[in-house]
């Protein structure tokens, strides 16, 4: 992956086929050592100020991998979701395990909360989210079992998906600037802690 200024993460070899998915290696736990070290150093410098662990949700990671970089509509990713559901599920499981391990490493190193961040989830219908994405987001969050930290789930453009996203096991729902907090609370049925809602 290369981070291209003004564009974001770009992959020279996108994941487009079943064989591409099968070639993805399992995450080497030692690869997270620099993350653990950086989080521990940051927490030490912050003192009493909490640090939020951050991880990309499986759908967003898969979208970057399939598209080869940022995309406005995730057309290739959503096409793969329909055309090859088995490879799609395998890819999202891989993404969920990478993100889950990444979040867990940050919390074990001292982060006070964990946020699963889904930048591109707003391109999905509620039905597709529930059928093709939610189980994998839950799998990512499940990596935090046994760690007593608040879990935040946030998605950009996710006003129509709030209830579905909350169902994966989050404690707090992130809300973007497109939906008022009172409307988000109404859609969630009340009693769900909300976070965010600031226009960038």
């Amino acid at each position: 992956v290369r981070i291209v200024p003004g564009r974001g993460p770009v992959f020279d070899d996108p994941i487009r086929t079943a064989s591409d998915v099968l070639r993805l290696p399992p995450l080497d736990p030692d690869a997270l050592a620099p993350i653990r070290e950086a989080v521990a150093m940051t927490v030490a410098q912050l003192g009493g100020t909490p640090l939020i662990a951050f991880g990309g949700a499986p759908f967003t990671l898969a979208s970057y991998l399939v598209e080869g970089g940022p995309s406005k509509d995730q057309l290739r990713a959503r096409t793969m979701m329909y055309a090859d559901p088995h490879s799609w599920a395998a890819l999202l499981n891989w993404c969920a395990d990478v993100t889950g391990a990444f979040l867990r490493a940050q919390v074990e190193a001292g982060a006070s909360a964990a946020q699963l961040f889904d930048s591109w989830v707003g391109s999905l219908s509620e039905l597709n989210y529930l059928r093709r994405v939610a189980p994998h987001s839950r799998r990512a969050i499940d990596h935090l079992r046994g760690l007593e930290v608040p879990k935040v789930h946030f998605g950009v453009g996710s006003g129509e998906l709030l209830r579905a996203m909350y169902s994966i096991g989050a404690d707090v729902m992130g809300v973007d600037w497109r939906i008022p907090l009172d409307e988000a609370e109404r859609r969630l049925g009340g009693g769900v802690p909300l976070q965010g809602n600031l226009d960038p």
Side-chain angles (χ1 to χ4, degrees):
V1 62
R2 294 178 293 113
I3 306 299
V4 176
R7 184 159 181 227
V10 173
F11 294 86
D12 295 326
D13 297 308
I15 305 299
R16 301 271 169 81
T17 66
S19 59
D20 291 340
V21 174
L22 290 173
R23 283 198 312 270
L24 289 168
L27 178 66
D28 178 358
D30 292 340
L32 295 173
I35 302 302
R36 293 176 186 276
E37 182 180 355
V39 169
M41 290 170 57
T42 303
V43 168
Q45 290 293 315
L46 288 172
T49 302
L51 178 70
I52 300 176
F54 176 94
F59 177 74
T60 287
L61 288 185
S63 293
Y64 279 115
L65 288 167
V66 174
E67 300 288 340
S71 166
K72 291 182 181 177
D73 56 14
Q74 292 72 50
L75 193 56
R76 284 190 174 110
R78 292 188 296 119
T79 298
M80 183 182 192
M81 181 176 71
Y82 284 114
D84 190 352
H86 294 295
S87 295
W88 176 256
L91 175 59
L92 263 70
N93 278 342
W94 184 87
C95 291
D97 290 341
V98 168
T99 288
F102 184 63
L103 285 171
R104 187 171 185 96
Q106 293 174 74
V107 172
E108 288 176 343
S112 299
Q115 183 175 56
L116 189 64
F117 196 101
D118 216 339
S119 302
W120 306 123
V121 73
S123 69
L124 294 172
S125 69
E126 183 179 35
L127 183 61
N128 278 332
Y129 177 80
L130 287 168
R131 285 185 179 170
R132 313 281 180 136
V133 174
H136 308 285
S137 293
R138 181 184 303 275
R139 181 175 174 138
I141 287 282
D142 283 349
H143 279 263
L144 297 171
R145 280 191 183 154
L147 300 175
E148 297 302 319
V149 294
K151 296 174 286 294
V152 182
H153 196 193
F154 175 77
V156 177
S158 59
E160 300 303 317
L161 303 175
L162 287 175
R163 290 181 75 86
M165 290 177 69
Y166 183 63
S167 73
I168 68 144
D171 303 305
V172 177
M173 277 308 300
V175 179
D176 77 5
W177 67 97
R178 295 173 180 91
I179 181 170
L181 284 175
D182 59 347
E183 176 59 15
E185 182 180 41
R186 186 191 68 76
R187 291 183 187 189
L188 285 162
V192 177
L194 302 177
Q195 175 262 347
N197 195 233
L198 298 176
D199 190 329

